[in-house]
Amino acid sequence: MAEAGPGPGPGPGWLEQLKSCFAWSGTSPWTLWLFALLCLAGVLRLPLRISDNLSTAPCRLELSQTAGISLLADFVIKELCFQRLHQVSMFLNTLTPKFYVALTGTSSLISGLILIFEWWYFRKYGTSFIEQVSVSHLRPLLGGVDNNSPNNSNTSNGDSDSNRQSVSECKVWRNPLNLFRGAEYNRYTWVTGREPLTYYDMNLSAQDHQTFFTCDTDHLRPADASKQMNSCQEVMQKAWRERNPQARISAAHEALELNECATAYILLAEEEATTIVEAEKLFKQALKAGEGCYRRSQQLQHHGAQYEAQHRRDTNVLVYIKRRLAMCARKLGRTREAVKMMRDLMKEFPLLSMFNIHENLLEALLELQAYADVQAVLAKYDDISLPKSATICYTAALLKARAVSDKFSPEAASRRGLSTAEMNAVEAIHRAVEFNPHVPKYLLEMKSLILPPEHILKRGDSEAIAYAFFHLQHWKRVEGALNLLHCTWEGTFRMIPYPLEKGHLFYPYPICTETADRELLPSFHEVSVYPKKELPFFILFTAGLCSFTAMLALLTHQFPELMGVFAKAFLSTLFAPLNFVMEKVESILPSSLWHQLTRI
């Protein structure tokens, strides 16, 4: 038997339209208004005796059906309508001014509490709680999101590359210019009583130390290595996992009692030394011990995988020590010595780009005002195939701005137009601002600086702080550079699509920077958010509702008779169009139609 074809009925298109209508109503403010009306009807069901009237209506309907008299049915319906209106008017007349004061005061209190909660949630998480619940929970239940839809799958496939890029750009990186915890961060805490580092940031540093300075095969060292060296490494493995700073320092001293351990000297230089001079002395001792371990592991690195892992660990330790020694020289004013140490380190270990030593070199060369050498470094690292950073982009912009900033005038440029050199400088600043839009506020001193964290988020506020903390002096040294930056920055946000939803030179600005920056930066710092988020609708709505109801409560309390007259007049005016429409309908439609409606 052949299968029967589909019967008549609504097709899939009709169902999709119905589901989309429900999805729209789930996020529309009118749905809340309808819900409020239903709640009001539920509250007034006892004073208006709605349930009693609805229960008596079938009896009257049965009477009209059995009698078969349409005029009687029409009379009963009109009588019922007039009775409802009379009951409503009697109920409103019996309300005292105290009721209106209590009603408006309670509404103001509830809306005020909702406003406070919404504002707190928005300040902490950057979104509205009501909006998030509506979109995330109610809309899928009402059919607003169809994950199996082919359109959605095509869209997700089309945007997969940009989403992956955004996720990679939200990766947290080690700050190449991070300060010394004992000599700088702790001194800030002693003076101000504030903690410049967050627990999340210090936890990431502990993970980095375990990755770079420990090895799973430390207990498998060659036979000629002493047992004291093995015990030293085991103690340091436990030290890097300690959360208490004093426990880490005690473990480092314990390791040094067993043997000359390079990583123990590193920990003491980073956390126990209270000055840069003390840290440099400890790093020199660590260099002596680290070079010995590096030479031994270099000879045995091809004897097996375990020896290769140990050599990789010893290489990381040696590079870290030399880099920190160069930074000590830079901080102590021996800039040329620091530049030489960084150049030698980059030549000796050219493949270790994860430490970003070139950014330390750029900052030292700018201090020496060796702009030709800075341009040579940029020519090597400012490549399309290499990852970008604020240091790369803004240093390139500084060099191009230096060529025209001393003679640049906004008025003259608006009259005659931009020259080729000025256009190149403006485009370089546009490129830098598109990569990290938070930096200009710190360079122009529109926002206060804090100590940079030990980890940064590229294109985020943490990277902007780390860059401006060390490079603000270099921008000030170039005459007119900040003026050109200010003039160009004001025009940048008009030329670049707001809020950078379409990247010109880079991928679209990631949306995850605010959350990561809040975890990296201390609580006393106001995180810079880009694009600046506007206040959600529900915060504005609750603020207006709270203010309006509070004003009504105050006026009702001060002028009860006048506000009572005003309330009755307002309700009469509100129901006037409905009464007018009902009268017109009754006058136009025949009584037989009312009889048919009663049968329904």
Side-chain angles (χ1 to χ4, degrees):
M1 182 177 295
E3 293 183 359
W14 183 83
L15 293 176
E16 293 295 333
Q17 293 179 0
L18 183 61
K19 292 174 69 176
S20 63
C21 179
F22 276 113
W24 174 84
S25 63
T27 57
S28 174
W30 296 107
T31 307
L32 301 177
W33 176 251
L34 180 60
F35 180 75
L37 291 179
L38 294 177
C39 294
L40 181 61
V43 172
L44 299 178
R45 69 183 187 277
L46 292 178
L48 299 181
R49 294 184 296 175
I50 296 177
S51 57
D52 296 341
N53 294 325
L54 291 178
S55 62
T56 57
C59 298
R60 299 184 182 184
L61 178 61
E62 183 180 0
L63 178 62
S64 63
Q65 290 178 348
T66 54
I69 304 175
S70 60
L71 294 177
L72 181 59
D74 187 23
F75 175 76
V76 170
I77 293 173
K78 291 182 179 180
E79 180 186 4
L80 186 61
C81 293
F82 285 119
Q83 185 179 0
R84 300 297 184 274
L85 295 175
H86 180 66
Q87 290 176 351
V88 171
S89 62
M90 289 183 60
F91 174 72
L92 295 177
N93 291 330
T94 56
L95 295 179
T96 62
K98 293 183 179 180
F99 170 80
Y100 292 108
V101 174
L103 178 63
T104 53
T106 305
S107 302
S108 177
L109 176 62
I110 295 176
S111 57
L113 294 176
I114 297 175
L115 173 62
I116 293 173
F117 174 77
E118 278 283 298
W119 179 257
W120 170 82
Y121 195 87
F122 175 75
R123 293 286 295 178
K124 186 174 183 180
Y125 300 103
T127 184
S128 169
F129 175 77
I130 301 177
E131 181 180 354
Q132 183 180 9
V133 171
S134 301
V135 174
S136 303
H137 298 85
L138 298 182
R139 190 172 183 179
L141 293 177
L142 296 174
V145 177
D146 189 3
N147 295 328
N148 297 326
S149 175
N151 295 331
N152 292 340
S153 61
N154 294 335
T155 303
S156 61
N157 292 333
D159 296 340
S160 59
D161 294 337
S162 60
N163 292 338
R164 283 195 297 268
Q165 181 67 20
S166 298
V167 171
S168 64
E169 287 187 350
C170 289
K171 177 184 176 182
V172 176
W173 300 76
R174 181 81 176 178
N175 182 8
L177 296 172
N178 65 309
L179 305 178
F180 292 87
R181 190 174 294 184
E184 293 173 305
Y185 288 119
N186 287 348
R187 291 179 64 183
Y188 176 84
T189 304
W190 298 337
V191 173
T192 63
R194 293 178 172 181
E195 290 291 342
L197 298 177
T198 62
Y199 174 77
Y200 175 70
D201 192 14
M202 292 188 291
N203 186 40
L204 290 177
S205 298
Q207 295 177 11
D208 293 340
H209 295 153
Q210 295 178 43
T211 302
F212 293 136
F213 301 153
T214 61
C215 181
D216 295 335
T217 60
D218 282 334
H219 62 284
L220 300 176
R221 281 186 171 269
D224 57 346
S226 63
K227 295 182 179 180
Q228 291 181 347
M229 178 61 71
N230 296 335
S231 302
C232 171
Q233 296 298 337
E234 292 176 1
V235 171
M236 289 308 301
Q237 282 186 351
K238 297 178 181 178
W240 294 121
R241 298 189 183 98
E242 287 287 346
R243 295 185 178 181
N244 188 0
Q246 295 300 325
R248 290 195 297 269
I249 294 174
S250 300
H253 284 292
E254 179 183 352
L256 288 177
E257 292 177 358
L258 298 174
N259 195 3
E260 291 290 319
C261 183
T263 54
Y265 283 119
I266 290 177
L267 192 148
L268 295 178
E270 291 285 352
E271 301 192 20
E272 188 182 37
T274 57
T275 62
I276 301 297
V277 176
E278 295 179 8
E280 187 181 29
K281 291 180 180 179
L282 290 171
F283 273 120
K284 287 181 179 180
Q285 293 178 285
L287 178 62
K288 182 179 179 180
E291 286 179 341
C293 293
Y294 176 76
R295 285 192 296 267
R296 287 192 296 268
S297 63
Q298 188 178 25
Q299 298 174 357
L300 302 172
Q301 61 176 321
H302 301 295
H303 291 188
Q306 61 184 23
Y307 300 103
E308 183 178 357
Q310 293 173 6
H311 177 66
R312 190 182 309 113
R313 190 274 315 278
D314 294 336
T315 302
N316 293 335
V317 171
L318 184 62
V319 172
Y320 184 88
I321 294 172
K322 290 186 175 182
R323 173 173 164 269
R324 295 302 264 179
L325 278 173
M327 295 179 66
C328 288
R330 167 67 182 91
K331 293 177 183 294
L332 294 175
R334 307 194 305 269
T335 309
R336 296 188 182 277
E337 179 184 349
V339 169
K340 183 179 183 304
M341 295 174 65
M342 294 175 190
R343 289 187 183 275
D344 295 340
L345 187 59
M346 294 171 65
K347 290 179 182 179
E348 186 178 1
F349 304 98
L351 299 180
L352 291 180
S353 59
M354 57 184 175
F355 290 101
N356 293 326
I357 306 175
H358 61 278
E359 296 193 10
N360 299 83
L361 180 60
L362 285 173
E363 195 278 328
L365 290 174
L366 287 174
E367 178 64 21
L368 295 176
Q369 301 185 33
Y371 297 110
D373 295 336
V374 173
Q375 185 62 50
V377 175
L378 287 177
K380 181 179 180 180
Y381 290 96
D382 192 7
D383 187 81
I384 191 173
S385 60
L386 297 177
K388 298 294 181 295
S389 66
T391 302
I392 295 292
C393 296
Y394 277 91
T395 303
L398 176 61
L399 292 186
K400 293 186 178 181
R402 175 177 170 268
V404 298
S405 60
D406 56 340
K407 300 179 181 179
F408 178 78
S409 174
E411 295 78 9
S414 61
R415 289 195 304 267
R416 58 174 171 79
L418 295 176
S419 62
T420 303
E422 291 173 343
M423 182 61 69
N424 292 335
V426 170
E427 289 179 354
I429 294 178
H430 283 176
R431 170 177 178 262
V433 173
E434 182 179 346
F435 181 83
N436 194 319
H438 308 281
V439 173
K441 290 184 179 180
Y442 296 103
L443 292 181
L444 298 174
E445 298 182 279
M446 301 170 60
K447 192 174 176 62
S448 59
L449 275 173
I450 61 172
L451 295 184
E454 293 183 341
H455 289 80
I456 60 174
L457 179 69
K458 287 191 175 182
R459 308 187 73 178
D461 189 31
S462 54
E463 184 191 31
I465 293 173
Y467 172 80
F469 186 85
F470 294 98
H471 289 262
L472 176 58
Q473 56 181 338
H474 307 317
W475 279 83
K476 288 183 176 181
R477 188 178 294 120
V478 178
E479 182 181 358
L482 292 176
N483 181 35
L484 179 59
L485 173 65
H486 183 266
C487 297
T488 310
W489 177 61
E490 287 185 339
T492 296
F493 294 99
R494 293 194 294 266
M495 298 178 65
I496 295 180
Y498 179 85
L500 292 182
E501 67 276 4
K502 298 179 181 179
H504 285 198
L505 302 173
F506 304 99
Y507 280 90
Y509 191 79
I511 61 176
C512 59
T513 58
E514 180 183 358
T515 304
D517 281 332
R518 291 186 187 278
E519 295 180 345
L520 289 173
L521 298 174
S523 59
F524 59 82
H525 172 72
E526 183 179 357
V527 177
S528 176
V529 179
Y530 185 83
K532 192 66 176 180
K533 295 185 178 180
E534 299 178 355
L535 289 177
F537 164 77
F538 289 103
I539 290 183
L540 300 177
F541 176 76
T542 52
L545 181 62
C546 178
S547 304
F548 179 71
T549 52
M551 182 183 65
L552 286 181
L554 179 61
L555 292 176
T556 307
H557 178 72
Q558 294 292 333
F559 311 101
E561 294 81 5
L562 182 60
M563 290 303 296
V565 174
F566 173 77
K568 294 176 183 178
F570 174 75
L571 293 176
S572 302
T573 306
L574 183 64
F575 286 104
L578 180 61
N579 296 332
F580 177 77
V581 171
M582 291 296 298
E583 292 176 359
K584 289 296 183 181
V585 170
E586 291 177 1
S587 61
I588 295 175
L589 296 179
S591 58
S592 57
L593 180 61
W594 286 105
H595 177 67
Q596 296 297 328
L597 292 177
T598 57
R599 296 177 61 86
I600 297 176

